[in-house]
Amino acid sequence: MACAASFRFSSSGGGFSDKVRLACGLACFVCGEYYFAFEYMRPVCQKHPANVSLWNIMGQVFIAMPDKRTHKFVLRLLLKYPDTEPLLLVCGHNSLNASSYKLALASYHRLLKLKPRCPLVLLCVAVAYLSLAVRRSSSNRHQCVVQAFAFLRKYLDERQPCQESWYNIARAFHQLDLRYIAVHYYNKVLSLCSSSEGHAPGPASLHCEAAFNLSLIYRQSGQDDLARSLLHRYCTF
């Protein structure tokens, strides 16, 4: 219920009713009743379409409830509020999860016009282009790859070199099966574990993910001993 406490409503216009709906929706979500959580929270989203905290909660419901109704709900709301940033981002994520990459790109590009220097939006555009490039039916694969890495470069400039940015670039090369380049960037992630810029003691560290992906590359190349050494060093608790 901490999320409900952090969500602010105006004192007028039935705010108490909205808080009750949100609390009931969160209770249903915790109990695994995702359909009822969606039904309780949907009217609140319609009243507060630009509230980021609310859409963070609703996004968890969407992940747990992969239903076409959720995407249609977001699309209808986006038609009513076409320049609302959280709606554009959620619509892009839903389209990406549904493999509708062109629709996802349309939503992300509209959001990019509103927030041209946001690292998250730049990364989302790059991921959508990469996903479009690896499709078998893609007719302009090379152009999509070039556009993806152009946005990744902008993302790196805005986010600055860190574990997150190096990992995302390594993952992009790994997805394209350019393993020798991915190894270089995965090692950059691991090199930050012992430095002050790393986050090894905290939950935000990506050294486990980088080491696991790197071990997969080593196993594919027949270096099983090196893969086991990585897992033992970085993924043993």
Side-chain angles (χ1 to χ4, degrees):
M1 297 301 176
C3 293
S6 65
F7 183 67
R8 297 180 180 178
F9 297 96
S10 61
S11 58
S12 59
F16 179 75
S17 176
D18 290 338
K19 289 181 180 179
V20 171
R21 284 182 177 274
L22 183 59
C24 291
L26 286 171
C28 291
F29 176 79
V30 172
C31 295
E33 298 291 342
Y34 305 122
Y35 172 77
F36 291 106
F38 172 69
E39 290 298 323
Y40 272 118
M41 296 175 65
R42 181 169 61 175
V44 188
C45 292
Q46 291 172 335
K47 290 183 180 180
H48 309 274
N51 191 287
V52 177
S53 299
L54 176 60
W55 283 108
N56 285 337
I57 303 170
M58 197 62 157
Q60 297 298 317
V61 177
F62 289 168
I63 293 172
M65 178 188 168
D67 196 307
K68 291 182 179 179
R69 285 173 294 183
T70 61
H71 190 39
K72 291 179 180 178
F73 164 70
V74 174
L75 286 175
R76 287 195 298 267
L77 205 56
L78 188 59
L79 289 175
K80 190 175 180 180
Y81 305 100
D83 294 326
T84 306
E85 295 175 7
L87 278 174
L88 288 169
L89 190 62
V90 171
C91 182
H93 291 345
N94 286 344
S95 301
L96 195 66
N97 289 333
S99 299
S100 300
Y101 303 124
K102 292 184 178 179
L103 181 58
L105 280 170
S107 299
Y108 290 145
H109 274 294
R110 284 175 61 185
L111 182 56
L112 195 62
K113 292 180 179 179
L114 301 174
K115 305 188 74 173
R117 300 188 63 181
C118 177
L120 174 61
V121 181
L122 293 168
L123 178 62
C124 289
V125 175
V127 170
Y129 274 119
L130 276 177
S131 302
L132 194 60
V134 298
R135 292 186 67 177
R136 293 183 179 180
S137 59
S138 180
S139 58
N140 52 350
R141 182 171 302 174
H142 298 290
Q143 181 181 353
C144 290
V145 170
V146 171
Q147 289 176 307
F149 280 96
F151 281 101
L152 276 176
R153 178 72 250 186
K154 292 182 180 179
Y155 158 75
L156 180 61
D157 292 340
E158 297 298 333
R159 187 66 181 88
Q160 300 300 316
C162 60
Q163 272 197 350
E164 176 199 313
S165 56
W166 292 136
Y167 177 83
N168 287 325
I169 292 175
R171 189 64 189 86
F173 282 112
H174 197 174
Q175 185 174 355
L176 295 175
D177 205 28
L178 297 173
R179 288 175 285 180
Y180 65 99
I181 306 178
V183 167
H184 172 71
Y185 286 103
Y186 282 138
N187 281 321
K188 278 181 170 289
V189 177
L190 297 179
S191 68
L192 293 178
C193 289
S194 58
S195 68
S196 59
E197 296 180 15
H199 304 281
S205 176
L206 294 169
H207 67 281
C208 289
E209 289 82 355
F212 179 76
N213 290 345
L214 194 54
S215 71
L216 294 179
I217 295 176
Y218 287 150
R219 287 186 185 277
Q220 287 178 331
S221 59
Q223 303 181 57
D224 293 339
D225 292 339
L226 189 54
R228 281 193 294 269
S229 175
L230 271 176
L231 294 176
H232 178 73
R233 180 178 178 182
Y234 294 102
C235 301
T236 302
F237 300 96

